[in-house]
Amino acid sequence: ELRIPKSVKKIEKHVFYETPLKDIHFEGTKAEWEAIEKDSRWDIVAEPYPAPRRLDCTIHCTDGDAIIGG
């Protein structure tokens, strides 16, 4: 589980690399979550051949949930 403040403006690549996250709590709205600049590989958690494995979790926002992956 992880808590991200709404003051975050950018998420870099591999920030969640090798983490078993299932829940992220974002202290803003779904629209604010979508507005965060995210590197194209921000949600990569592992890089096995032949393709990378991506984050599969729920982003809990103040106005509802956003599902990543799955």
Side-chain angles (χ1 to χ4, degrees), residues 5-22:
K6 71 186 246 176
S7 60
V8 168
K9 301 296 180 211
K10 184 175 184 177
I11 299 177
E12 299 287 346
K13 70 179 178 178
H14 296 146
V15 71
F16 300 116
Y17 199 74
E18 294 189 5
T19 60
L21 283 173
K22 288 295 178 191

Side-chain angles (χ1 to χ4, degrees), residues 9-69:
K9 301 296 180 211
K10 184 175 184 177
I11 299 177
E12 299 287 346
K13 70 179 178 178
H14 296 146
V15 71
F16 300 116
Y17 199 74
E18 294 189 5
T19 60
L21 283 173
K22 288 295 178 191
D23 292 285
I24 295 175
H25 297 271
F26 177 63
E27 298 174 346
T29 65
K30 289 190 287 186
E32 289 170 321
W33 170 257
E34 293 301 323
I36 293 174
E37 180 184 348
K38 299 172 189 81
D39 183 276
S40 64
R41 297 177 68 78
W42 76 273
D43 60 345
I44 300 294
V45 295
E47 301 211 47
Y49 181 81
R53 188 168 47 94
R54 297 194 174 266
L55 191 63
D56 182 12
C57 74
T58 302
I59 310 294
H60 303 281
C61 302
T62 58
D63 62 345
D65 294 342
I67 307 298
I68 304 298

